[in-house]
Amino acid sequence: MEEHMNLKKASWDDGHRLWPLPNLPWIMKQTWNDLLFAHYPIKLEVLQALVPNVLPLDSFNGMGWIGVVPFHMTGIRMRGLPPLPGTDRFPELNVRTYVTIDGKPGVYFFSLDAANQLAVWGAKAFYHLPYVYADMTVKRNGASIGYESKRRSGDDAQFVCSYRPISEPYHAARGSFDEWMSERYCLYTLNKKGVPLRCDILHQPWLLQHAEAEFSQNTMLSKQGIQVESDQPILHFSKKIEVRIWPLVHASD
């Protein structure tokens, strides 16, 4: 009860979400740090061939969008439990696009690379997410973040990048691309029967910054057969955001 009250006191209101949270307790907390959002345009017909038909695509200005999002997580723990040593912090690298079911805009993941083998196993088993184990390092040099990832097996996709913010922090303007790609409070996945499931999340509205980046290596898209329209992404940075995660529910709930 005390933890629940502290959550409310810490301004964890959900008034900025488009729909109410499930009538269930959140089960996990995480803090996401030093995120780069690198977004590439893709033709909708090309994207549709890559996404299960039961997940309606979302678009902006008539295009689909693929996001490559490196960051590192800290403070990971299950509700009511202390952090588990060796599992409470690690880098993660997502390749994602955007879908909407019943007016609930969310994220669909093509892949999620992580540097923690237990987390990879748990997320695949309990959240039906396409996690992949990778060797990853994150280094800070002043305002710049050096990020490296190479998969341990399979297609050996690699990502080597240095990125940094280049503007003051801001909240996305209503109706902008910045708001469209970032203000999404759920992810969608499919169970083994192909039924869409939704995982709701809660955090405060994103505080974004414009960014610049140098990509030394990036085969995260080509290794997955994703053909985008431009190799010059739209770039955003976010320093830190605290997140609560809910259990999976049927997407129609």
Side-chain angles (χ1 to χ4, degrees), residues 32 35 37 170-172 182-183 203-208 238 241:
W32 302 343
L35 300 96
F37 296 95
Y170 65 93
H171 287 110
S182 64
E183 292 300 313
H203 54 70
Q204 294 303 299
W206 284 96
L207 196 58
L208 300 172
S238 189
I241 200 161

Side-chain angles (χ1 to χ4, degrees), residues 16-174:
H16 53 288
R17 286 172 46 102
L18 296 179
W19 69 97
L21 287 161
N23 190 25
L24 298 165
W26 61 269
I27 60 172
M28 183 185 296
K29 65 167 288 191
Q30 303 173 350
T31 299
W32 302 343
N33 305 275
D34 296 325
L35 300 96
L36 175 70
F37 296 95
H39 279 96
Y40 300 83
I42 182 172
K43 291 181 179 178
L44 285 172
E45 59 267 29
V46 174
L47 182 59
Q48 185 63 77
L50 302 171
V51 176
N53 288 332
V54 293
L55 299 175
L57 293 179
D58 210 344
S59 63
F60 190 87
N61 283 348
M63 298 293 293
W65 293 85
I66 301 288
V68 178
V69 185
F71 62 105
H72 62 100
M73 293 194 288
T74 57
I76 304 167
R77 68 171 179 84
M78 302 300 293
R79 184 171 187 151
L81 296 176
L84 296 177
T87 66
D88 64 336
R89 59 181 61 229
F90 54 85
E92 183 166 308
L93 172 61
N94 299 339
V95 178
R96 68 193 218 177
T97 193
Y98 304 103
V99 299
T100 295
I101 296 179
D102 294 337
K104 302 178 178 71
V107 175
Y108 172 76
F109 292 105
F110 293 106
S111 63
L112 306 96
D113 291 38
N116 187 289
Q117 205 162 17
L118 180 59
V120 167
W121 173 83
K124 291 174 74 171
F126 296 108
Y127 276 84
H128 308 286
L129 291 171
Y131 266 84
V132 182
Y133 187 36
D135 289 319
M136 309 174 81
T137 60
V138 182
K139 296 180 180 178
R140 173 174 286 280
N141 182 13
S144 296
I145 308 297
Y147 202 101
E148 297 188 18
S149 176
K150 182 177 181 179
R151 290 181 178 170
R152 287 219 172 183
S153 61
D155 59 22
D156 69 2
Q158 297 183 58
F159 182 85
V160 182
C161 179
S162 176
Y163 58 90
R164 66 200 63 81
I166 57 171
S167 76
E168 292 299 315
Y170 65 93
H171 287 110
R174 187 173 297 276

Side-chain angles (χ1 to χ4, degrees), residues 187-225:
L187 66 85
Y188 290 103
T189 188
L190 306 180
N191 65 15
K192 292 180 180 180
K193 296 181 179 180
V195 176
L197 305 174
R198 188 182 75 248
C199 170
D200 287 276
I201 65 173
L202 177 62
H203 54 70
Q204 294 303 299
W206 284 96
L207 196 58
L208 300 172
Q209 294 173 263
H210 297 298
E212 62 183 14
E214 293 83 42
F215 298 91
S216 302
Q217 182 74 260
N218 183 8
T219 59
M220 300 306 298
L221 303 184
S222 61
K223 289 288 187 177
Q224 300 188 70

